[in-house]
Amino acid sequence: LGPPLSPTPAVIAMEGLQALNPPSHPNWKKALGKLDHSGTLITDSYLWKQLILAGLMFQLYYECAFLALDAVSPVTHAIGNNLKRIVIVVTSVLIFGQKMSTQSMVGSSIAIGGVLLYGQVKEAYSGKAKSAASK
């Protein structure tokens, strides 16, 4: 219960007490009566369901991230996290037809190259360590 509640004071400081009552937010009211991306009518119950599901999925994501961090080194975890972001960007380009700026393409290329280089260096050093240990 700590992680979901820990940002609450900062949210209240930035957004005011209305942050604790989502239906009072102007964007909540603007969304009512419209259709979502799949054509479903947006109602109060729909928004509450989406809000709760988003919170639960985010909490599950963090739990999985901590389990992964226990299983691998922090550097490997950080690289995997960066690779995950690249996969999301590339997937959005391929599936949704998002346009990538030159800066995004260069950044993604550098990140992918860094991950590949890290893998090569790690494999080379682990091979040297194994051969040194067998001598």
Side-chain angles (χ1 to χ4, degrees):
L1 235 159
L5 295 178
S6 60
T8 303
V11 170
I12 291 171
M14 293 171 56
E15 298 283 333
L17 286 175
Q18 79 172 9
L20 298 178
N21 185 16
S24 69
H25 195 279
N27 289 337
W28 184 285
K29 294 172 185 165
K30 285 181 192 176
L32 293 176
K34 295 184 179 177
L35 300 177
D36 74 353
H37 63 279
S38 65
T40 304
L41 181 65
I42 298 176
T43 62
D44 272 318
S45 63
Y46 173 85
L47 288 174
W48 276 112
K49 182 180 91 173
Q50 295 298 317
L51 184 67
I52 291 167
L53 280 174
L56 289 173
M57 291 299 121
F58 201 63
Q59 182 66 27
L60 181 62
Y61 162 74
Y62 269 111
E63 293 294 329
C64 290
F66 277 109
L67 288 172
L69 190 55
D70 282 343
V72 297
S73 75
V75 174
T76 303
H77 188 268
I79 288 173
N81 195 27
N82 286 332
L83 192 60
K84 172 197 70 169
R85 293 168 197 227
I86 295 165
V87 168
I88 290 170
V89 168
V90 171
T91 303
S92 70
V93 168
L94 295 175
I95 293 177
F96 303 117
Q98 294 278 336
K99 302 286 184 202
M100 277 185 80
S101 67
T102 304
Q103 184 179 7
S104 295
M105 286 188 257
V106 169
S108 294
S109 300
I110 290 171
I112 291 169
V115 168
L116 293 173
L117 185 62
Y118 172 76
Q120 295 290 330
V121 169
K122 186 173 180 181
E123 188 174 318
Y125 276 99
S126 69
K128 287 181 182 179
K130 286 179 185 175
S131 65
S134 64
K135 289 182 180 181

